[in-house]
Amino acid sequence: MAASSPRFDQRKMASSRHYPSHSFAPSAPELPPDPDSNSDQPQQEAYSYNHHGSPPPTTLPPPPPPPPAPPTHSYYPPQPPSNYGQNGFPPGTHPYVVRAFEMVDRDRSGFIDENELQQALSSGYERFNMRTIRLLMFLFKNPLDSLRIGPREFAALWSCLGHWRSIFERFDRDRSGRIDLMELRDALYSLGYAIPPPVLQVLISKYDNGSGRRVELNFDSFVECGMIVKGLTEKFKEKDPRYTGSATLTYDSFMSIVIPFLIAYD
C-alpha cells in the first residue's frame, strides 16, 4: 500500500528526538521563529524531512529549553524543595515538576494513572479533558506499565506541554484563549506540517458542537490535534528511511500505525 506524508517545510521542520521503538512518544516541538522578530541572525538549519532523498544530519542540536512562563501562566511558581527527591527524574528536573508528581502519587508507588495525571496537570496548566489525558498517557507510556507513567515520562510530558503552550499563545493572536482554523493551520505549518485543507477540516470538525458557530479550539483541544499530527508523522517517518515523503506499507503496518491512535483514548 503506498502512502504519502503531508508536505514539510525544510526550514521549519521541528527537531526530533529519538525514542525507543516501543514508544510512540513524540518529542516536544521546537519553537518556530517569531514572525515579529527583527533579528538579523541567520537561522540555524533544523532537522528537515525533504523530498530529495537526503537523510537528516547524523547529529542534531539539542532542543531549546522551555521559555519562561508569561505572567498570566505561571508554570513554575515559587516552591520549597520537595522531600520526594529526584529519584527517577531526569537530572535538572524543576522542583515544581517533582512536587506536582508527588502530590498525586499518594501511595508513593512511583507511578501515576490517568486520573492522577489529570490532577497533576491541573496544578500547572489546566484541567484537560480525559480524552486528551488518555492520548498523552499513550504517547508517553511507560514500557513496563502501559496504564501508568513514571517520573521520567511525567517530566518529558510536562516539558512538551510547555512548548505547546508557547506555540498556542503565539498563534492566539487576539488573546481569546482559543484558536480558529486558520490559526491552527499556521501553528502546524510553523512546525513544518503543511496539512492539506481536507485533513485540517476533519481535524477541527471533531470539535464542532453543531451550534453553527465558527469552530475554535482551546489549549486542551489544540494539544490533542497537534499530538495526533506529530505522533502519526513520526511513525510514518519510521517507514520512510530515505526521507522522500512517501512510503510503501503493508496492510498490517498501516493498521498498526493508525489503530492505536484511534483507540488510545476511547
Side-chain angles (χ1 to χ4, degrees), residues 154-168:
F154 181 76
L157 189 158
W158 190 285
S159 176
C160 187
L161 287 179
H163 281 70
W164 283 109
R165 168 62 81 179
S166 296
I167 295 168
F168 180 84

Side-chain angles (χ1 to χ4, degrees), residues 164-181:
W164 283 109
R165 168 62 81 179
S166 296
I167 295 168
F168 180 84
E169 291 180 349
R170 178 171 296 175
F171 289 92
D172 176 23
R173 297 185 178 93
D174 59 1
R175 298 297 182 264
S176 65
R178 294 176 175 272
I179 62 173
D180 60 21
L181 178 65

